[in-house]
Amino acid sequence: MRRPAGVVSAGVRYRLGVASRAVAAIAGGYGVAALSAALLALCLPPLFGTSRSEAAMTGTLASFLVFAVAVMWVFAARTALRAWSGLAIAAAPMGLLVFLLTRSTGGAA
């Protein structure tokens, strides 16, 4: 007996969920890590008086930790939708802050 059109088997649904999580871990984790690196590079010089090169290096090194945590979060979340929404919730305020800081300072902190 054939399945009705539009019905997806549990195996296909599972594979699509894993594929979605993999894309979220790679692309979404990279995006969150890049935003955190940029935010730290912009915020550290005025807050702590570090040089811009030290702030960029610190932001870059910290972004490796952020990326690892984002990947762990994606695969620990109950659903792929929750994984994507968690990344979006983390990225939205960082993206807004980076936008506002680069707009107000011209990109130079």
Side-chain angles (χ1 to χ4, degrees):
M1 179 183 241
R2 290 187 58 186
R3 254 184 282 204
V7 175
V8 180
S9 70
V12 172
R13 208 173 316 122
Y14 173 77
R15 285 182 178 85
L16 288 174
V18 171
S20 177
R21 286 174 191 258
V23 171
I26 295 166
Y30 177 81
V32 169
L35 284 171
S36 70
L39 187 60
L40 280 173
L42 289 169
C43 289
L44 287 178
L47 292 177
F48 297 106
T50 61
S51 68
R52 290 174 62 193
S53 61
E54 287 176 346
M57 183 62 71
T58 302
T60 302
L61 289 173
S63 73
F64 288 107
L65 178 63
V66 171
F67 183 78
V69 169
V71 170
M72 286 187 282
W73 158 252
V74 165
F75 286 101
R78 283 183 189 238
T79 64
L81 179 62
R82 188 174 286 189
W84 278 104
S85 61
L87 291 174
I89 289 169
M94 285 193 291
L96 180 63
L97 281 172
V98 168
F99 174 75
L100 292 174
L101 287 171
T102 55
R103 188 172 175 156
S104 66
T105 63

